[in-house]
Amino acid sequence: MPLRVTVWNENVHETTEPAVAARYPEGIHGAIADGLAERLPGAEIRTATLEQPEHGLTEEVLAATDVLTWWGHVAHDRVSDEVVDRVRRHVQGGMGLLVLHSGHYSKIFTTLLGTTCSLDWRNGEDRELVWTVAPTHPIAEGVPSPIVIPQQEMYGEHFDIPAPDELVFISSFSGGEVFRSGCTFTRGHGRIFYFSPGDQEFPVYHHPHVLRVLANATRWAAQPDRPRAAPTIHQRPEPDWFLDD
């Protein structure tokens, strides 16, 4: 089966701010979807946005999604708790999840990680250098170190997240700040990747190396052959087999 990807975006800045609409005429979701389609030949890629019924994330859509990407910023509180719980269930059952930039404050990310996911920030057109610290990780394949992003919002430590399963990238900024910008987590059977570059004020999702990271992470997070079911409790049989003389 082809890799099935759903690119979700709240799509608020693009519909209310002319400068962002000019930067992303098809929305941030459109730019990401186009970048993934170019780098994942044969993948089935759909988009979904906040204003659609059930935010475009119905049970049927999620059941047909191997990896969901999530971008949000100013409308986290407008995302239905029912939809968040549905996404959580699918992630724990094995659906991959890529959380991008200010999606660190999304309901789904804070729910799955169990912390505030707060951080330091400065929107001052900083240069960001994304350094690879796990060069053999599949997400880093074909990615230069560092990725140079000329203009980007600064995200800095302390980042209130659980210790990542794997730290793939760290970023440094013109003010000397550093940030754990590429982290993996596992929740239930699902693989999660957080990647911080991508503020709406800058054309980060047109950057070829950023899009390469997202394509690599999509491949890594996908588990298309796994039945969609969360870990469950099992009653063990009597231990005769172990105690047998």
Side-chain angles (χ1 to χ4, degrees), residues 156-172:
E157 297 291 343
H158 172 59
F159 188 15
D160 183 28
I161 55 173
D165 293 349
E166 301 162 303
L167 183 60
V168 185
F169 303 106
I170 60 171
S171 288
S172 60

Side-chain angles (χ1 to χ4, degrees), residues 69-87:
T69 75
W70 191 283
W71 196 100
H73 183 210
V74 295
H76 297 317
D77 60 337
R78 291 166 54 189
V79 177
S80 159
D81 289 342
E82 180 181 357
V83 171
V84 170
D85 188 65
R86 185 183 302 153
V87 173

Side-chain angles (χ1 to χ4, degrees), residues 135-215:
T136 62
H137 198 284
I139 295 176
E141 183 179 353
V143 177
S145 183
I147 300 172
V148 180
I149 302 176
Q151 293 178 308
Q152 167 64 0
E153 181 181 24
M154 187 282 291
Y155 275 9
E157 297 291 343
H158 172 59
F159 188 15
D160 183 28
I161 55 173
D165 293 349
E166 301 162 303
L167 183 60
V168 185
F169 303 106
I170 60 171
S171 288
S172 60
F173 293 86
S174 51
E177 300 89 355
V178 295
F179 187 70
R180 289 169 288 170
S181 54
C183 307
T184 75
F185 305 89
T186 303
R187 291 297 182 269
H189 292 309
R191 297 175 178 175
I192 302 169
F193 180 63
Y194 173 74
F195 192 56
S196 64
D199 187 74
Q200 74 281 351
E201 298 293 334
F202 311 108
V204 178
Y205 294 119
H206 297 302
H207 195 302
H209 300 317
V210 169
L211 293 170
R212 169 54 59 196
V213 169
L214 299 187

Side-chain angles (χ1 to χ4, degrees), residues 82-97:
E82 180 181 357
V83 171
V84 170
D85 188 65
R86 185 183 302 153
V87 173
R88 175 199 56 77
R89 177 167 47 82
H90 276 272
V91 171
Q92 292 177 335
M95 182 181 72
L97 178 66

Side-chain angles (χ1 to χ4, degrees), residues 15-82:
T15 56
T16 59
E17 301 176 34
V20 180
R23 193 172 298 116
Y24 293 110
E26 302 301 322
I28 287 174
H29 53 291
I32 292 173
D34 287 347
L36 292 180
E38 181 180 344
R39 291 160 178 82
L40 299 172
E44 294 180 357
I45 301 174
R46 73 173 89 201
T47 61
T49 54
L50 179 71
E51 72 275 8
Q52 294 175 324
E54 301 182 64
H55 311 321
L57 299 175
T58 63
E59 181 66 35
E60 292 74 21
V61 166
L62 293 177
T65 297
D66 297 314
V67 179
L68 173 67
T69 75
W70 191 283
W71 196 100
H73 183 210
V74 295
H76 297 317
D77 60 337
R78 291 166 54 189
V79 177
S80 159
D81 289 342
E82 180 181 357

